[in-house]
């Protein structure tokens, strides 16, 4: 075996394999018989080599066969690949030798084959002019199929473009040749990542300016030479903008300022611009430093950030100072209408502060007056005129007083129950003002009474009159001190009101369906109490039922008297009342009318010790002025308990002003008689 560099496997007669790793002699392990055939072949070639057999077959003789020769030689393979981008001529080599000149793109192979299994390293020995070629897959071990994957790529020579930036306060975006963008946020050097081919041009521009700045480029363009460019200079400066706007309505001189400084004095309407520009991205704030005399100027659109353009929309509007005029109203009872400077009418309906709606220019006059007086009142204005200063006028004083008058009213009035209306006449005794909205204040319990005061809304002065009318569905005990007043009545007078049924005055209302009435005239001016001096049981002022409450139940007393004396009824007081058979209502039953008891005639404290609260003629009619009983004394139906047979009966004396009295008289004395009865309604 000669030339072996690896490992080969031999065989004899297709078997008896023998692995050989070194050159020299070899022998198969299995002998063959003399005269037998032998045939030595290569079962497995060594890697990267081819071994050939000489004298490898024949017939064995009488001695060992030792002349078989195996010669191994290394396999030679091609080494090559492809070239692209070549624009000229270059020289490649492998393993630092075997130069090969390449002049065209495409497939190439080295002229000198390379031993299979040996290493290779392809490099560029000589670059083409203005190009740089690089080798990919340049090294490795030569395989049995050769090497065809070496890739040589040639590109024109290219160099980076860069320089320095200064003054930058934000972020600027640069571009080279309209592409190859570079974002930069700080001062210093910069380099675009993409080189530019030698001989081509470069052009550096600002794609995006930094906020509030403008960057400019120097040395930014030219042809690319044989070295990188580092001389591009980018210089950035802050943008500045002017601040201004317009003034309108100015009549004097106003001083404006921006950001608390940079004062600007203006004396006329029109445009203005502050002298000092502001950096873009900063802020501005325009204010009034000094107002013009008697004017107030206000600023709109006066503050904000400084953008990328001049600010020219600041609006300063000046108007003459105006102040309100007002004050207080007191004593008002109605609605007064005020006006200022002959206009701006202002109705006011309550006491307290007020303000005219229209302001008055500073330095102008004001004159506040009463345009329309309230009903039944007169209002006067104090501090009503002057010149408006630099503040609101609040010291006007409107004082209202009522235009009072005096009235008189009928002393009494009678209301027929379920009949025609009753009335009282009211007279205006004043000489200047009408009496307004006059009416009577009726007792709260008189719910059945309806008052009509519609023709008393205005009673003219100097004796003008009106009538208050009343209707009622039920009687009430007469009352005095019923006030008649109105909106402007000084010292309202009083009247007394009583009720009548069938023309008879009511002096008591014992139930919800009956009333006590008194006859309109005396039954007799002179008549004895009884025809004899009999003592009639149970009708004295101290008697209690049965049979009678002698002091207050005249109907019972009368019945007792009539039962004793009988006819002729006209001979004694009780009989005279008992025999009445007709009255204003028509025919009545005998005994309907009766002689009133002592306490139905007079009130407590007059002699007969009447109890308080008993309805009686004296309190409810005589003292209120509805009836005058002029006789000296009137018989009652009550006997005197002290001497019932002799000085035996009570009588009533009626006098005004509370001077009525009660006394006991002989039953044969001649006294007056006034009858009463109960009546349903």
């Amino acid at each position: 075996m000669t030339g072996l560099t690896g490992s080969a496997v031999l065989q004899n007669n297709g078997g008896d394999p023998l692995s050989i790793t070194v050159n020299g002699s070899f022998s198969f392990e299995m002998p063959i018989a003399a005269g037998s055939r032998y045939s030595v072949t290569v079962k497995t070639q060594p890697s990267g080599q081819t071994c050939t057999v000489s004298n490898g077959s024949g017939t064995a003789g009488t001695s060992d066969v030792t002349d078989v020769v195996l010669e191994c030689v290394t396999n030679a393979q091609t080494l090559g690949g492809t070239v692209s981008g070549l624009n000229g001529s270059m020289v490649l080599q492998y393993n630092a030798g075997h130069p090969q000149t390449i002049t065209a793109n495409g497939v190439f192979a080295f002229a000198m084959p390379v031993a299979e299994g040996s290493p290779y390293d392809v490099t560029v020995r000589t670059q083409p002019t203005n190009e740089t070629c690089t080798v990919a897959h340049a090294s490795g071990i030569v395989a049995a199929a050769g090497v065809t994957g070496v890739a040589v790529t040639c590109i024109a020579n290219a160099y980076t473009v860069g320089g320095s930036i200064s003054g930058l306060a934000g972020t600027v975006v640069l571009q080279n040749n309209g592409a190859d963008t570079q974002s930069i946020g700080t001062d210093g050097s910069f380099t675009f990542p993409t080189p530019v081919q030698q001989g081509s041009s470069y052009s550096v521009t600002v794609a995006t300016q930094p906020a509030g700045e403008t960057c400019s480029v120097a040395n930014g363009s030219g042809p690319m030479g044989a070295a990188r460019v580092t001389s591009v200079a980018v210089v950035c400066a802050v943008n500045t903008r002017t601040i201004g706007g317009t003034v309108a309505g100015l009549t004097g001189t106003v001083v404006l300022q921006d950001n608390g400084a940079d004062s600007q004095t203006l004396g006329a309407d029109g445009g203005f611009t502050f002298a000092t520009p502001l950096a873009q991205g900063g802020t501005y704030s325009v204010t009034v430093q000094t107002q013009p005399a008697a004017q107030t100027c206000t600023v709109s659109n006066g503050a904000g950030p400084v953008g990328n353009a001049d600010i020219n929309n600041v609006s300063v509007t000046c108007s003459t100072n105006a102040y309100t005029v007002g004050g207080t109203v007191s004593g008002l009872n109605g609605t007064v209408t005020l006006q200022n400077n002959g206009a701006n009418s202002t109705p006011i309906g309550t006491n307290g502060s007020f303000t005219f709606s229209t302001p008055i220019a500073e330095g102008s006059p004001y004159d506040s007056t009463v345009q329309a007086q309230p009903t039944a009142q007169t209002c006067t204005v104090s501090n009503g005129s002057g010149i408006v200063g630099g503040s609101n006028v609040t010291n006007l004083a409107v004082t209202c007083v009522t235009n009072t008058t005096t009235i008189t009213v009928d002393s009494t009035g009678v209301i027929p129950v379920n009949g025609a209306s009753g009335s009282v006449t009211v007279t205006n005794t004043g000489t200047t003002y009408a009496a307004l909205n006059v009416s009577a204040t009726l007792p709260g319990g008189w719910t059945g009474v309806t008052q009509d005061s519609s023709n008393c809304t205005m009673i003219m002065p100097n004796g003008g009159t009106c009538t208050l009318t009343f209707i009622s569905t039920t009687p009430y005990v007469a009352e005095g001190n019923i006030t008649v007043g109105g909106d402007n009545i000084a010292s309202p007078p009083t009247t007394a009101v009583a009720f009548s049924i069938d023309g008879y005055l009511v002096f008591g209302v014992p139930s919800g369906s009956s009333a006590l009435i008194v006859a309109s005239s005396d039954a007799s001016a002179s008549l004895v109490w009884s025809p004899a001096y009999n003592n009639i049981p149970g009708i004295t002022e101290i008697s209690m039922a049965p049979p009678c409450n002698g002091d207050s139940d005249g109907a019972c007393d009368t019945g007792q008297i009539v039962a004793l004396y009988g006819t002729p009824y006209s001979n004694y007081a009780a009989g005279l009342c008992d025999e009445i058979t007709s009255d204003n209502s028509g025919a009545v039953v005998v005994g309907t009318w009766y002689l009133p008891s002592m306490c139905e005639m007079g009130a407590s404290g007059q002699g007969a010790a009447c109890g308080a609260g008993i309805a009686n003629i004296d309190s409810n009619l005589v003292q209120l002025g509805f009836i005058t009983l002029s006789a000296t004394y009137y018989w009652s139906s009550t006997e005197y308990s002290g001497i019932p047979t002799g000085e035996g009966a009570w009588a009533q004396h009626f006098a005004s002003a509370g001077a009525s009295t009660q006394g006991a008289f002989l039953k044969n004395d001649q006294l007056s008689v006034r009858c009463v009865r109960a009546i349903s309604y």
Side-chain angles (χ1 to χ4, degrees), residues 322-326 340 354-360 388 391-394:
Y323 298 97
T324 58
V325 176
N340 190 30
F354 74 92
T355 302
F356 287 105
S357 60
T358 303
I360 304 300
V388 175
S391 62
N392 294 332
V393 176
T394 60

Side-chain angles (χ1 to χ4, degrees), residues 577-613:
C577 292
D578 185 73
E579 72 173 353
I580 297 173
T581 58
S582 65
D583 59 19
N584 293 344
S585 66
V588 296
V589 176
V590 172
T592 299
W593 289 87
Y594 63 89
L595 186 65
S597 66
M598 188 69 261
C599 295
E600 288 177 305
M601 299 184 76
S604 62
Q606 295 184 7
C610 294

Side-chain angles (χ1 to χ4, degrees), residues 527-536 539-543 550-551 557-558 561 565 572-574 595-599 601 606-608 633-653 661-673:
L527 190 64
V528 297
W529 190 87
S530 67
Y533 288 159
N534 301 91
N535 181 8
I536 303 172
I539 63 169
T540 68
E541 79 277 6
I542 60 174
S543 297
D551 64 342
D557 293 345
T558 298
I561 296 169
Y565 293 117
Y572 55 97
L595 186 65
S597 66
M598 188 69 261
C599 295
M601 299 184 76
Q606 295 184 7
Y633 275 93
Y634 285 85
W635 283 121
S636 78
S637 62
T638 304
E639 278 189 331
Y640 175 50
S641 62
I643 312 175
T645 56
E647 190 180 356
W650 285 97
Q652 177 75 40
H653 171 63
T661 58
Q662 297 167 339
F665 290 83
L666 295 174
K667 292 180 178 178
N668 63 351
D669 285 341
Q670 301 283 321
L671 303 179
S672 295
V673 178

Side-chain angles (χ1 to χ4, degrees), residues 19 39 60 65 149 343:
S19 178
S39 176
V65 177

Side-chain angles (χ1 to χ4, degrees), residues 499-514:
F499 295 81
S500 67
I501 300 176
D502 292 337
Y504 301 111
L505 290 171
V506 174
F507 72 90
V509 184
S511 71
S513 60
S514 67

Side-chain angles (χ1 to χ4, degrees), residues 180-540:
D180 197 10
T181 299
Q182 179 86 329
S183 180
I184 303 169
T186 59
D187 285 350
S189 61
F190 69 91
T191 301
F192 286 100
T194 303
V196 177
Q197 292 182 1
Q198 182 179 352
S200 297
S201 1
Y202 63 91
S203 177
V204 178
T205 57
V206 177
T208 304
Q209 295 285 358
E213 285 191 298
T214 298
C215 298
S216 56
V217 180
N219 305 321
S221 61
M224 177 56 70
R228 65 191 185 95
V229 175
T230 61
S231 60
V232 178
V234 180
V235 179
C236 302
V238 175
N239 298 334
T240 59
R241 309 296 180 188
T242 59
I243 310 299
T246 57
V247 174
L250 182 63
T251 60
T253 299
V254 64
V255 180
L256 306 177
Q257 59 180 194
D258 184 24
N259 290 337
D262 195 14
S263 295
Q264 178 90 333
T265 300
L266 304 173
D269 288 348
F272 69 91
T273 302
F274 285 100
T276 304
L278 299 181
Q280 183 176 335
T283 59
Y284 66 96
S285 178
V286 178
T287 56
V288 178
Q289 182 181 15
T290 304
Q291 295 284 1
Q295 281 196 304
T296 298
C297 298
T298 57
V299 180
S300 57
N301 304 322
V306 179
N308 57 3
D310 292 339
I311 304 297
N312 56 19
N313 66 336
V314 177
S315 177
V316 180
T317 303
C318 302
S319 60
T320 301
N321 295 337
Y323 298 97
T324 58
V325 176
T328 57
V329 175
S330 62
L332 179 63
N333 184 18
T335 299
V336 62
T337 302
L338 306 178
Q339 62 180 4
N340 190 30
N341 291 338
N344 197 195
S345 295
T346 303
I348 301 171
T350 58
N351 290 311
S353 61
F354 74 92
T355 302
F356 287 105
S357 60
T358 303
I360 304 300
E362 182 179 350
S364 299
Y366 64 93
D367 183 17
S368 300
T369 56
V370 176
Q371 182 182 20
Q373 296 286 358
T375 303
Q377 284 194 304
T378 298
C379 298
T380 57
V381 182
S382 301
N383 305 321
S385 60
I387 301 298
V388 175
S391 62
N392 294 332
V393 176
T394 60
N395 66 338
L396 273 65
V398 180
T399 304
C400 302
V401 295
T402 301
N403 302 328
T404 59
T405 188
T406 57
I407 60 173
T408 60
V409 63
D410 291 344
S411 59
T412 61
V414 178
I415 304 174
V417 176
N418 291 322
S421 62
S423 66
V424 292
T425 299
V426 181
T427 302
N428 185 353
T429 57
T431 60
T432 305
Y433 302 113
L436 303 175
N437 299 317
V438 174
S439 64
T441 303
L442 298 176
W446 288 11
T447 56
V449 180
T450 301
Q451 176 180 196
D452 182 1
S453 59
S454 59
N455 70 342
C456 292
T457 56
M458 179 177 290
I459 311 172
M460 300 309 293
N462 295 310
T465 62
C466 76
T467 301
L468 297 174
T469 59
F470 310 92
I471 59 174
S472 182
T473 59
T474 183
Y476 298 95
V477 175
E479 288 197 28
N481 295 319
I482 295 175
T483 301
V484 177
D487 291 346
N488 62 331
I489 306 303
S491 301
T494 60
T495 186
V497 176
F499 295 81
S500 67
I501 300 176
D502 292 337
Y504 301 111
L505 290 171
V506 174
F507 72 90
V509 184
S511 71
S513 60
S514 67
L516 300 177
I517 59 175
V518 61
S520 302
S521 60
D522 292 344
S524 175
S526 179
L527 190 64
V528 297
W529 190 87
S530 67
Y533 288 159
N534 301 91
N535 181 8
I536 303 172
I539 63 169
T540 68

